Amino acid sequence: MNDMLELTCPLCKNTWKKSLREMEVVQDIYRDAHPHQKDKGVEYRTACPFCGTYVIVEVKED
């Protein structure tokens, strides 16, 4: 499984790649996609290596 994400800082616009395993889990997210099924996602955060701004990404789990 390739867990590398390409991230873009919203402040300085620099891009870099980082593994999900190296990122901090912020919270689990549950959404009702259908009355009998729920979509699960996880929010991860990491700091931009250029300016230090936190970047948060949501990853949908299967």
Side-chain angles (χ1 to χ4, degrees), residues 21-39:
R21 287 182 235 134
E22 298 174 330
M23 296 172 71
E24 176 185 352
V25 175
V26 179
Q27 67 181 0
D28 290 335
I29 302 166
Y30 294 91
R31 289 197 176 87
D32 289 329
H34 188 271
H36 304 289
Q37 172 185 357
K38 291 190 186 259
D39 282 342

Side-chain angles (χ1 to χ4, degrees), residues 31-50:
R31 289 197 176 87
D32 289 329
H34 188 271
H36 304 289
Q37 172 185 357
K38 291 190 186 259
D39 282 342
K40 183 180 180 196
V42 179
E43 281 189 347
Y44 293 88
R45 83 173 184 171
T46 189
C48 173
F50 303 100

Side-chain angles (χ1 to χ4, degrees), residues 4-61:
M4 295 296 287
L5 294 177
E6 185 163 327
L7 303 167
T8 303
C9 178
L11 184 64
C12 69
K13 306 299 184 209
N14 282 299
T15 60
W16 72 100
K17 289 188 178 188
K18 191 157 191 177
S19 170
L20 283 177
R21 287 182 235 134
E22 298 174 330
M23 296 172 71
E24 176 185 352
V25 175
V26 179
Q27 67 181 0
D28 290 335
I29 302 166
Y30 294 91
R31 289 197 176 87
D32 289 329
H34 188 271
H36 304 289
Q37 172 185 357
K38 291 190 186 259
D39 282 342
K40 183 180 180 196
V42 179
E43 281 189 347
Y44 293 88
R45 83 173 184 171
T46 189
C48 173
F50 303 100
C51 72
T53 300
Y54 278 106
V55 177
I56 298 176
V57 293
E58 182 180 338
V59 177
K60 199 173 188 180
E61 291 187 346

